[in-house]
Amino acid sequence: MGTTVELLILGAGWTSTFLIPLCKARGISYAATSRAGRDGTIAFEFDPHSTDPSPFAALPNAHTVLITFPIKLAGASTQLVRLFHETHPEGKLAAFVQLGSTGIWDGGPTLTAEGHVWTDRHSKFDETNDRAKAEIELLALAPKVPTTVLNLCGLWGGPRQPKNWVSRVAPTKDALKQKGSVHMIHGLDVARAVLAVHAHVDRASGQRWLLTDARVYDWWDLASAWGEEGKQPHWVQELIREAGIRGLPRTPEIIGRAMDSREFWETFELEPVKGRLGLE
């Protein structure tokens, strides 16, 4: 396809419901794909097992390509980049941004280290995780091909409302007792982060970033505020009395797990605009 857009979104899912309106508001040209080509998107599906370039021919040239879906197969990240460039030789060399998950740090070497509390983007992660391995592969293409990874924590906004999750996360007192910290980021801040990387590829290339809204939430605190009367709020009062905790939220040192995303916001000269859960 001979047209060129500033941002190509591969996979117009939940993230695109925030990213597309922001692109429109800022006058940033974009295109997006979906498997069926719904709602004005381009029909496209990435097959990690295929070397056929023809599906990529339907895509426009782009300055930045955002990959919203997870890639888990060895060699597939490199394959996607190669097939896009092979079918778009006349365009500017595109940068690639992969959305990932902070789950690669959960249960990894950082969390099992004695005395550990804080995780940041430089912390050790689980390199046996299939998504993490695919992200390492993508980052290895830099600096020849500008690539970066945004590892996102819990996503909320629109229909995804944390206050609706309490009964599922903590259906019993014992389940609630096991819950510690939770980290979140709103879809609008994800969209702002993507466009910041698009605008400053030189700052992002070859780097993995950890994204949260800069807060550490406590499930006990959230359950106390949003739980069902007589259940979660009551259990929280029992738990804090049993644990000798005088007030909520519990500190990261008590919970034992916290994520630090300051470096992203400082590097791209931003700050989260949606920093309070439940406030749209």
Side-chain angles (χ1 to χ4, degrees), residues 1-85:
M1 185 180 287
T3 60
T4 298
V5 295
E6 292 178 75
L7 179 66
L8 173 59
I9 306 166
L10 296 184
W14 179 84
T15 301
S16 71
T17 64
F18 300 92
L19 184 53
I20 288 175
L22 191 60
C23 285
K24 291 178 178 178
R26 295 186 179 181
I28 295 172
S29 60
Y30 70 91
T33 74
S34 65
R35 290 179 178 177
R38 55 176 170 74
D39 301 326
T41 59
I42 301 166
F44 172 81
E45 182 174 1
F46 174 59
D47 180 355
H49 299 279
S50 174
T51 58
D52 179 12
S54 58
F56 288 81
L59 302 176
N61 295 311
H63 297 170
T64 301
V65 178
L66 175 68
I67 308 165
T68 69
F69 47 80
I71 295 177
K72 299 181 179 180
L73 185 69
S77 292
T78 301
Q79 184 90 308
L80 186 152
V81 172
R82 182 180 64 80
L83 292 175
F84 183 85
H85 283 151

Side-chain angles (χ1 to χ4, degrees), residues 74-169:
S77 292
T78 301
Q79 184 90 308
L80 186 152
V81 172
R82 182 180 64 80
L83 292 175
F84 183 85
H85 283 151
E86 280 184 4
T87 53
H88 298 77
E90 73 283 4
K92 174 185 175 182
L93 183 67
F96 288 80
V97 180
Q98 171 74 63
L99 297 187
S101 167
T102 56
I104 64 172
W105 283 281
D106 291 346
T110 296
L111 283 185
T112 56
E114 185 175 351
H116 168 73
V117 174
W118 287 95
T119 295
D120 63 23
R121 76 186 190 98
H122 303 289
S123 299
K124 293 181 180 179
F125 55 88
D126 181 5
E127 294 188 17
T128 67
N129 179 287
D130 288 339
R131 291 182 70 173
K133 288 190 286 187
E135 292 164 4
I136 292 170
E137 179 184 305
L138 183 71
L139 292 174
L141 299 178
K144 183 177 180 181
V145 178
T147 58
T148 195
V149 174
L150 301 179
N151 290 111
L152 310 177
C153 62
L155 303 172
W156 77 281
R160 301 174 67 113
Q161 293 297 321
K163 65 176 60 179
N164 298 330
W165 306 340
V166 171
S167 61
R168 175 169 49 85
V169 168

Side-chain angles (χ1 to χ4, degrees), residues 161-229:
Q161 293 297 321
K163 65 176 60 179
N164 298 330
W165 306 340
V166 171
S167 61
R168 175 169 49 85
V169 168
T172 67
K173 179 181 174 181
D174 284 343
L176 180 57
K177 183 177 181 179
Q178 303 305 315
K179 296 301 176 184
S181 63
V182 61
H183 301 79
M184 306 297 298
I185 189 166
H186 192 277
L188 176 58
D189 282 321
V190 174
R192 294 171 66 244
V194 169
L195 293 189
V197 168
H198 165 67
H200 301 287
V201 171
D202 56 321
R203 302 180 191 178
S205 183
Q207 301 295 313
R208 176 188 300 281
W209 305 93
L210 185 159
L211 261 70
T212 76
D213 65 6
R215 288 169 170 79
V216 181
Y217 298 100
D218 176 2
W219 267 120
W220 289 13
D221 188 29
L222 302 182
S224 178
W226 291 333
E228 182 182 345
E229 185 177 358

